[in-house]
């Protein structure tokens, strides 16, 4: 075997250290501050060469790590290599000496254990545990990141898989690893694992079921709550599909605008400044909200009101714009914008407290849309009415377009669906919405509104189809009039056409000036 024969003086650990040091010095001497001056071929060639050097470095580190591990095995009555150097184990020693992460040290130990040549009690060298893997690693063909999961999977089924099939799997996986990325290697590894394991996937499936969990962490000092968990493959696939549906950049809102733009010239980033991670948070919030509402269906098929989330805030604070409140179950108070947003959708009740804080009287809900009203608004708007947002109706909250404190009624014509993210954005920033004959128009802040025009909102497909038919009708009338004029003998017909009644589209209202408002802007 090649691994047993090639052990000359040139292949010593001392030579490895000398060559590694010389290579590092040589590379440092020519390393530029920037690669901007290189051609495409030079740049990609250097990337490939440095990656190859990295793979050889990983192979050398794995072989050395194997011996460090052997010398760090605890023996009764003697110190180990690790303890003599102030470390508990081999991984810690590699971390300390190599200034590497613990995960990198453990990976080097795993790969080294699989590829290094060992000595029998008689002193005779033994073949590596996995010969095909050792050959690929020592040749610098595969990355240690791709090798470690392959070794773990093969070790798992080593004693119960067919030896011929096991050898074929090892060789096949190294061929794949030498030609693709570690991610692709892990994908193919699962296929080989199913073929190798005679017990099938049932034990592994049961282990996954036993390992699943979800935990809501403790609320932090900043008021944020962490979550942790492990999902089974099917649960993870369902969640990913749900999240992907509403974060796919190629998914756009139907009828968000007839020409894909808006009248105010506001950019897409300004309309929705959320990061991808923030969008994922809001999608998850929407999924939980929709599921919570759908637990039971209210009478007459109405949208079910959620289990009450109690938000406590004093009336004076609310009126003066200091509406900080406390939500049941949480220690961190919510700010005035969040308090106003929750009350905008869910309404409020007046609670009279005694001198000692005892509850004396609880009023009925005020300024709250009924389930039937919410269902009608959901049928009209279909999704969040904000530009380019397709959050489903069940995720959304109902916003009072004309604010309740300004005399705005709690009826269908004064309500509009907004997802929690855009509802919060509307309350927190200088955006406003106004209705014109049942059609909502969004007014951006002055510094964003480049044209001075509002943006028409609403994604109802029936209304969008009607608008398109109307515009097409107007275009045909104009074309017919132009054709008659061009013939020179259609004056009477032109006059009749011009005199016939025509339908004009609604004009958006002038922006309401909130400067004289007594209370802060809120729904």
């Amino acid at each position: 075997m090649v691994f047993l024969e090639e052990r000359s003086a040139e292949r010593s650990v001392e030579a490895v250290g000398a060559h590694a040091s010389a290579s590092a010095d040589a590379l440092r001497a020519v390393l530029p501050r920037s690669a901007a001056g290189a051609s495409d071929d030079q740049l990609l060639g250097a990337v490939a060469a440095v990656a190859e050097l990295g793979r050889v470095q990983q192979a050398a580190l794995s072989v050395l790590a194997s011996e460090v591990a052997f010398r760090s095995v605890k023996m009764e009555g003697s110190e180990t290599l690790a303890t003599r150097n102030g470390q508990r184990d081999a991984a810690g020693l590699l971390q300390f000496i190599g200034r590497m992460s613990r995960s990198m040290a453990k990976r080097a130990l795993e790969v080294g254990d699989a590829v290094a040549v060992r000595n029998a009690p008689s002193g005779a060298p033994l073949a590596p545990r996995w010969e095909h893997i050792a050959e690929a690693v020592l040749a610098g063909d595969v990355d240690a990141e791709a090798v470690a999961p392959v070794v773990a999977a093969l070790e798992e089924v080593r004693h119960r898989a067919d030896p011929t099939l096991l050898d074929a799997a090892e060789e096949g996986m190294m061929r794949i690893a030498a030609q693709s990325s570690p991610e692709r290697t892990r994908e193919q590894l699962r296929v080989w694992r199913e073929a190798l394991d005679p017990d099938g996937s049932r034990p592994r499936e049961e282990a996954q079921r036993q390992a699943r969990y979800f935990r809501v962490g403790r609320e932090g000092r900043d008021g944020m709550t962490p979550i942790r968990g492990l999902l089974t493959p099917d649960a993870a696939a369902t969640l990913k599909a749900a999240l992907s549906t509403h974060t796919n950049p190629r998914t756009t809102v139907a009828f968000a605008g007839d020409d894909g733009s808006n009248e105010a010239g506001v950019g897409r980033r300004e309309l929705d400044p959320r990061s991808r991670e923030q969008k994922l948070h809001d999608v998850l919030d929407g999924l939980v909200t929709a599921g919570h509402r759908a637990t039971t269906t209210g009478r007459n098929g109405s949208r079910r009101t959620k289990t009450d989330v109690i938000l406590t805030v004093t009336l004076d604070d609310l009126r003066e714009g200091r509406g900080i409140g406390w939500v049941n179950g949480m220690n961190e108070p919510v700010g005035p914008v969040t308090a106003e947003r929750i009350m905008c959708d869910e309404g409020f009740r007046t609670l009279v407290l005694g001198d000692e804080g005892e509850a004396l009287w609880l009023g009925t809900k005020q300024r709250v849309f009924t389930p039937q009203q919410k269902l009608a608004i959901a049928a009209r708007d279909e999704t969040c009415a904000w530009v380019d947002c397709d959050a489903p109706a069940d995720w959304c909250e109902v916003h009072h377009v004309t604010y309740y404190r300004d005399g705005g009624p709690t009826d269908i014509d004064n309500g509009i669906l907004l997802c929690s993210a855009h509802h919060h954005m509307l309350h927190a920033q200088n955006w406003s919405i106004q209705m014109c004959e049942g059609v909502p128009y969004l007014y951006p802040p002055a510094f964003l509104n480049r044209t001075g025009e509002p943006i028409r909102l609403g994604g109802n497909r029936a209304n969008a189809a009607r608008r398109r038919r109307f515009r097409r009708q107007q275009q045909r009338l104009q074309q017919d009039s132009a054709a008659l004029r061009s013939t020179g003998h259609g004056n009477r017909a032109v006059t009749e056409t011009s005199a016939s009644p025509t339908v004009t589209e609604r004009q958006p209202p002038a922006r309401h000036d909130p400067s004289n408002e007594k209370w802060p802007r809120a729904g």
Side-chain angles (χ1 to χ4, degrees):
M1 298 293 294
V2 65
F3 303 104
L4 306 184
E5 296 171 355
E6 297 181 358
R7 289 294 178 267
S8 62
E10 289 76 11
R11 290 179 177 263
S12 66
V13 172
E14 183 180 3
V16 169
H19 280 290
S21 180
S23 298
D25 290 340
L27 192 57
R28 275 193 293 265
V30 298
L31 186 63
R33 295 285 183 177
S34 170
S39 66
D40 290 351
D41 290 341
Q42 290 172 336
L43 180 63
L44 298 180
V47 169
V50 171
E52 180 182 11
L53 179 62
R55 291 193 295 271
V56 174
Q57 174 265 332
Q58 291 174 357
L61 181 61
S62 298
V63 173
L64 299 176
S66 175
E67 185 62 23
V68 170
F70 179 75
R71 300 187 186 188
S72 297
V73 174
K74 292 183 178 180
M75 303 290 289
E76 185 177 356
S78 64
E79 286 190 310
T80 67
L81 180 62
T83 57
R84 285 198 301 272
N85 287 275
Q87 302 297 320
R88 186 178 60 181
D89 54 20
L93 183 56
L94 290 174
Q95 272 189 281
F96 175 69
I97 298 296
R99 289 182 292 175
M100 65 185 72
S101 67
R102 188 166 185 85
S103 61
M104 183 177 179
K106 294 180 70 174
R107 185 163 58 238
L109 290 168
E110 292 170 4
V111 176
D113 183 61
V115 305
V117 172
R118 305 177 181 280
N119 292 327
S122 63
L126 299 174
R129 179 174 300 175
W130 300 103
E131 296 187 16
H132 295 298
I133 294 177
E135 183 178 359
V137 169
L138 297 179
D141 293 337
V142 295
D143 191 280
E145 186 178 350
V147 170
V150 173
V151 172
L154 294 178
E155 290 286 354
E156 182 181 350
V157 299
R158 181 178 187 180
H159 297 294
R160 59 179 184 270
D162 178 80
T164 303
L165 189 57
L166 189 66
D167 185 75
E170 181 192 356
E171 183 180 10
M173 287 307 305
M174 288 303 97
R175 186 167 57 251
I176 294 171
Q179 298 172 357
S180 59
S181 66
E183 290 80 9
R184 171 67 174 167
T185 303
R186 282 194 290 269
E187 291 176 6
Q188 293 300 308
L189 174 61
R190 292 185 175 93
V191 178
W192 272 110
R193 184 183 62 188
E194 295 303 324
L196 288 171
D197 196 346
D199 294 338
S201 60
R202 186 180 296 274
R204 188 164 51 254
E205 182 182 39
E206 183 59 29
Q208 292 169 349
R209 297 288 299 172
Q210 293 298 324
R212 75 191 191 281
Y213 77 97
F214 180 80
R215 181 181 302 129
V216 178
R218 292 185 177 181
E219 179 184 352
R221 293 182 179 179
D222 58 356
M224 304 296 282
T225 301
I227 60 175
R228 295 186 63 186
L230 288 175
L231 301 181
T232 58
D234 57 321
T238 301
L239 179 60
K240 287 181 178 180
L243 295 175
S244 177
T245 299
H246 299 283
T247 55
N248 189 335
R250 284 176 281 188
T251 301
T252 57
V253 182
F255 307 114
D258 289 335
D259 58 357
S261 60
N262 60 73
E263 300 86 342
V266 181
R268 189 178 299 271
R269 175 66 180 170
E270 294 160 334
L271 283 166
D272 194 349
R274 295 175 295 171
S275 66
R276 173 175 171 79
E277 290 73 18
Q278 290 170 335
K279 290 179 181 178
L280 288 173
H281 170 281
D282 296 340
V283 170
L284 183 60
D285 180 33
L287 290 170
V288 173
T289 299
H292 193 25
R293 281 179 174 144
T295 302
T296 59
T297 304
R299 194 185 313 172
N300 301 323
S302 61
R303 295 169 80 234
R304 175 181 181 268
T305 301
K306 296 183 295 182
T307 303
D308 284 343
V309 174
I310 302 172
L311 172 69
T312 308
V313 58
T314 67
L315 185 58
D316 287 341
D317 284 346
L318 182 62
R319 286 174 172 171
E320 296 174 12
R322 304 193 311 265
I324 297 176
W326 274 261
V327 180
N328 58 312
M330 302 300 293
N331 296 321
E332 180 73 11
V334 298
V337 174
T338 301
E340 290 286 357
R341 177 176 61 79
I342 292 174
M343 286 186 287
C344 185
D345 178 54
E346 297 296 334
F348 66 89
R349 298 185 186 202
T350 301
L351 174 65
V352 178
L353 300 178
D355 294 338
E356 302 299 327
E358 67 274 20
L360 301 179
W361 180 78
L362 178 64
T364 59
K365 271 196 174 183
Q366 302 180 43
R367 87 170 196 192
V368 60
F369 289 92
T370 67
Q372 289 78 13
Q373 287 177 315
K374 289 183 177 181
L375 183 63
I377 294 172
R380 181 197 67 194
D381 293 348
E382 295 186 340
T383 65
C384 172
W386 199 269
V387 182
D388 286 349
C389 183
D390 61 352
D394 277 347
W395 297 14
C396 296
E397 302 161 350
V398 182
H399 169 70
H400 284 77
V401 175
T402 299
Y403 302 125
Y404 183 84
R405 64 167 184 274
D406 294 333
T410 302
D411 59 32
I412 295 173
D413 290 336
N414 193 45
I416 187 172
L417 286 185
L418 291 174
C419 67
S420 62
H422 290 127
H423 199 178
H424 188 96
M425 184 174 174
L426 184 71
H427 281 277
Q429 302 177 16
N430 193 27
W431 298 76
S432 66
I433 296 177
Q434 294 185 42
M435 284 284 195
C436 177
E437 300 182 26
V439 177
Y441 288 86
L442 175 67
Y443 290 80
F447 70 92
L448 291 179
N449 197 337
R450 299 176 177 85
T451 67
E453 296 294 325
I455 303 171
R456 182 172 183 150
L457 298 181
N460 185 278
R461 288 167 285 191
N463 286 337
R466 180 194 60 78
R467 290 199 305 271
R468 291 185 177 186
R469 286 196 300 268
F470 168 78
R471 292 181 181 180
R472 182 58 180 162
Q473 180 184 7
Q474 293 294 86
Q475 290 172 359
R476 286 177 177 173
L477 287 174
Q478 294 172 1
Q479 291 170 357
D480 292 345
S481 298
L484 288 172
R485 292 192 186 96
S486 65
T487 61
H489 56 75
N491 293 335
R492 184 170 179 272
V494 172
T495 302
E496 290 178 354
T497 301
S498 301
S500 62
T502 59
V503 180
T504 58
E505 286 209 87
R506 302 181 181 91
Q507 296 299 315
R511 180 168 186 167
H512 172 62
D513 184 6
S515 59
N516 295 323
E517 291 180 358
K518 178 179 178 181
W519 288 7
R521 299 177 62 248

